[in-house]
Amino acid sequence: MAPATKTRNVNTRLRDHAIRHGLLLHEYSTGEVHRMVRFLNTQVEPDLVRKIANSYDDLEVARAQAVQGGVRKIVAAGYDRLHGRFDADMLDLADAEADIQRAALRGTLPVDLDVVTPSVPTLREMVRNRPIDGKFVKDMFDQMSAATANRVNQQIMIGVTGGETLDQVITRIRGTRAKHFSDGVLNTG
C-alpha cells in the first residue's frame, strides 16, 4: 500500500511541477512576442517609414511597384535579424529546459537515477529542424515577413489610389498614438 501512495505523491509532484513550469513558459512566450513586436517597431518601422516618406509625394501607381519591392526588402531583412535572435534564444531555452527537466526528475523521484538529457548538437537539431504545427520556424518567419510586407504595401496602394496624404498612410501602417500604435498594420496579423 505504501508504494502506491509514494508513487501518487511523486506523480502529483511531477504534475504540479509541470503545471507551474507550463505557466512560466507561457509567460516567457508572451514576453518573447512583446520583444519581437518591440524589435519590429524600433528596428524595422523607422526604415519603412523613411522609405515610404522619401518616395510618396511623387508616387504613382506604376512607380509604386518599385517602392513595394523596397518595402519587401526592408521587412525581409528585419525578419531575418529577428529570426537570428529568436533562434539563439530558442537554443538557450532548449538547453535550460533540459536542465530544468533533469532537476525536476532528480528532485522528485524517490530513487537515485542518472537522468541523461539530449546533447547540445541534438537540441540544436531539434530547435532548427523539427516542424512546429507542421511548419519549420524559418518558414514561419518567412511567411510572417511576406504577410507584413503585403499589409504595408496594400496600405501604400490604398493611399496612392485614394489620393491620401503621406501622414494618413503612415498612420494606418504605424497605428495611432491614442491606441499606443497597436492598431497599425505592423502590429496586427
Side-chain angles (χ1 to χ4, degrees):
M1 196 63 113
T5 303
K6 193 164 196 97
T7 303
R8 190 172 64 236
N9 289 339
V10 168
N11 288 341
T12 300
R13 288 171 42 204
L14 284 172
R15 180 203 63 210
D16 291 349
H17 169 78
I19 291 170
R20 277 192 308 275
H21 191 66
L23 291 171
L24 290 174
L25 283 176
H26 181 70
E27 288 178 21
Y28 175 81
S29 70
T30 300
E32 281 297 301
V33 168
H34 289 297
R35 277 187 45 206
M36 288 177 172
V37 169
R38 189 169 41 253
F39 175 85
L40 292 172
N41 287 342
T42 60
Q43 302 297 315
V44 177
E45 179 187 299
D47 293 339
L48 278 175
V49 170
R50 213 173 1 267
K51 175 73 176 172
I52 296 166
N54 290 340
S55 308
Y56 192 78
D57 287 337
D58 57 14
L59 195 62
E60 298 170 357
V61 173
R63 200 166 153 304
Q65 290 177 334
V67 172
Q68 289 178 333
V71 165
R72 280 189 198 87
K73 285 180 185 175
I74 290 168
V75 171
Y79 271 93
D80 283 345
R81 289 191 333 248
L82 185 60
H83 177 250
R85 288 177 52 174
F86 180 80
D87 187 60
D89 289 348
M90 290 303 98
L91 291 173
D92 291 345
L93 178 63
D95 190 37
E97 273 297 300
D99 292 340
I100 289 166
Q101 297 307 323
R102 181 184 328 109
L105 287 171
R106 281 186 170 163
T108 306
L109 294 175
V111 294
D112 190 23
L113 292 177
D114 187 23
V115 179
V116 178
T117 57
S119 66
V120 172
T122 300
L123 291 172
R124 179 171 284 119
E125 177 69 19
M126 290 169 70
V127 166
R128 291 187 174 149
N129 297 318
R130 287 259 176 105
I132 300 171
D133 290 335
K135 295 180 186 175
F136 292 108
V137 172
K138 175 68 173 129
D139 294 341
M140 287 183 198
F141 275 87
D142 290 345
Q143 289 170 353
M144 288 187 291
S145 173
T148 299
N150 288 339
R151 288 192 310 270
V152 170
N153 284 330
Q154 181 181 19
Q155 296 311 309
I156 293 169
M157 292 308 293
I158 288 170
V160 168
T161 58
E164 295 179 344
T165 66
L166 173 62
D167 287 340
Q168 289 171 309
V169 173
I170 297 297
T171 297
R172 277 201 320 279
I173 292 170
R174 294 173 81 188
T176 59
R177 185 178 306 273
K179 293 189 178 177
H180 305 287
F181 301 102
S182 64
D183 55 336
V185 298
L186 287 179
N187 290 314
T188 59

